[in-house]
């Protein structure tokens, strides 16, 4: 979901690694090879129909970033054994920490990192985050 939010379309299983720690425990390693194409979309270098994820989301195999909504992540989460409540919690936690996360990420960038790139990613993030609203289940 995070890769979709920031417009990093090359999310695939080779971008995630697990490390074996002392005592035989496992932990995720830091993310790597994460590149957003959002600034290219905003600058008109690519069309929105070209902005596709490397891995599908939802039951009907949604790849195109602009065609993906929160319900598709819900379908994926349910298929992976998560509850609706757990998926909703992830959406809410991301929404709650996004401002602090962007400030912290920008603070770690080199001083000459273009503000326009960060603004482009944040704008795309906010637009997609708004699409995570889920319809209320029938009760």
């Amino acid at each position: 979901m995070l890769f979709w939010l920031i417009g990093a379309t090359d999310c695939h299983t080779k971008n995630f690694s697990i490390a074996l720690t002392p005592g035989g425990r496992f932990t995720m390693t830091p993310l790597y090879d994460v590149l957003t194409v959002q600034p290219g979309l905003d600058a008109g270098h690519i069309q929105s129909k070209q902005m596709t994820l490397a891995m599908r989301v939802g039951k009907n195999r949604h790849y195109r970033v602009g065609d993906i909504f929160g319900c598709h992540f819900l379908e994926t989460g349910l298929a992976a054994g998560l509850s609706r409540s757990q998926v909703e919690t992830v959406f809410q936690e991301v929404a709650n920490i996004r401002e602090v996360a962007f400030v912290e990420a920008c603070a770690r960038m080199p001083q000459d990192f273009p503000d326009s790139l960060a603004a482009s990613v944040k704008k795309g993030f906010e637009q997609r985050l708004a699409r995570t609203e889920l319809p209320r289940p029938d009760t």
Side-chain angles (χ1 to χ4, degrees):
M1 179 182 130
L2 177 62
F3 284 62
W4 169 72
L5 286 168
I6 66 171
T9 58
D10 192 34
C11 174
H12 51 80
T13 55
K14 291 183 183 178
N15 292 111
F16 303 92
S17 293
I18 297 173
L20 178 62
T21 63
R25 300 199 54 121
F26 294 94
T27 187
M28 292 280 302
T29 63
L31 296 176
Y32 55 91
D33 191 25
V34 180
L35 179 66
T36 178
V37 297
Q38 184 67 44
L41 176 69
D42 290 346
H45 300 301
I46 63 170
Q47 296 177 359
S48 61
K49 68 181 180 182
Q50 295 172 297
M51 198 168 170
T52 58
L53 298 178
M55 294 177 68
R56 71 175 173 87
V57 181
K59 290 180 184 175
N60 294 323
R61 300 181 179 212
H62 297 276
Y63 290 93
R64 193 174 294 164
V65 170
D67 294 344
I68 297 171
F69 291 86
C71 61
H72 301 124
F73 286 101
L74 175 60
E75 290 172 354
T76 300
L78 293 173
L82 300 176
S83 69
R84 180 188 176 98
S85 175
Q86 288 172 309
V87 174
E88 289 174 331
T89 297
V90 170
F91 290 155
Q92 192 58 54
E93 287 178 357
V94 168
N96 290 345
I97 66 167
R98 71 184 186 271
E99 291 299 328
V100 171
F102 271 100
V103 168
E104 288 180 7
C106 288
R108 293 180 181 197
M109 297 296 170
Q111 279 201 300
D112 61 346
F113 188 82
D115 290 338
S116 61
L117 293 182
S120 173
V121 174
K122 189 168 192 307
K123 177 183 150 201
F125 180 100
E126 293 293 339
Q127 290 171 342
R128 286 185 278 281
L129 184 64
R131 297 193 341 233
T132 62
E133 184 79 20
L134 294 172
R136 296 299 349 139
D138 295 335
T139 52

